[in-house]
């Protein structure tokens, strides 16, 4: 069963009552994992631009998900790199990318095999 996101505020996200004080990936099987920001930082020097390598990793964590739901931070600063966007499009994996407080409702109402990545700061 897909976990429910209860809340987010700057620096944290609460999933099924557990507070995480770091970015997370939520897999379709319900497991919550720490985001591997280093995959994007190594390429762009920031975790605000999702690299191809990170997109590949997230897609694999989703085990061929129906869609990727991205919480782009409290102020919406995270973006997909052009290479990441092309990679996900080739895999027929639509992306919903909205500020984290806004995208929570999308996640909680999503059907099917969604994978989520949620940035909890800027």
């Amino acid at each position: 069963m897909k976990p429910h996101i209860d809340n987010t505020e700057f620096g944290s996200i609460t999933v099924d009552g557990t507070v995480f004080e770091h970015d997370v990936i939520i897999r379709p099987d319900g497991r919550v994992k720490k985001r591997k920001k280093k995959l994007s930082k190594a390429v762009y020097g920031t975790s605000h631009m999702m690299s191809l390598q990170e997109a590949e990793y997230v897609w694999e964590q989703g085990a061929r998900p129906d869609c990727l739901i991205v919480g782009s931070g409290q102020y919406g600063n995270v973006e997909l790199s052009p290479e990441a966007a092309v990679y996900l499009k080739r895999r027929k994996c639509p992306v919903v990318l909205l500020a984290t407080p806004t995208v929570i409702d999308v996640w909680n109402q999503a059907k099917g095999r969604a994978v989520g990545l949620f940035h909890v700061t800027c």
Side-chain angles (χ1 to χ4, degrees):
M1 181 172 166
K2 181 169 60 84
H4 183 268
I5 300 176
D6 304 317
N7 187 33
T8 186
E9 54 188 51
F10 194 92
S12 70
I13 189 165
T14 306
V15 181
D16 281 342
T18 301
V19 177
F20 296 90
E21 294 181 339
H22 52 75
D23 294 359
V24 298
I25 294 173
I26 304 177
R27 296 168 40 123
D29 64 9
R31 286 192 282 169
V32 180
K33 299 181 69 171
K34 186 173 184 177
R35 176 185 175 201
K36 291 190 174 188
K37 296 194 282 188
K38 66 182 178 182
L39 295 171
S40 291
K41 280 188 172 186
V43 177
Y44 296 106
T46 179
S47 62
H48 290 158
M49 179 68 67
M50 186 186 297
S51 68
L52 171 60
Q53 294 82 1
E54 187 172 11
E56 291 170 340
Y57 175 77
V58 172
W59 190 77
E60 289 167 8
Q61 290 300 303
R64 301 179 182 240
D66 297 332
C67 71
L68 168 59
I69 298 172
V70 179
S72 61
Q74 302 302 311
Y75 311 118
N77 288 338
V78 173
E79 303 174 39
L80 291 180
S81 68
E83 298 82 11
V86 167
Y87 172 83
L88 293 164
K89 185 175 182 178
R90 284 188 186 145
R91 275 139 192 84
K92 296 179 173 56
C93 181
V95 177
V96 177
L97 188 142
L98 298 167
T100 303
T102 303
V103 86
I104 286 173
D105 288 335
V106 174
W107 172 263
N108 287 336
Q109 295 173 21
K111 305 290 184 216
R113 294 183 44 77
V115 63
L117 181 149
F118 302 92
H119 184 62
V120 297
T121 57
C122 35

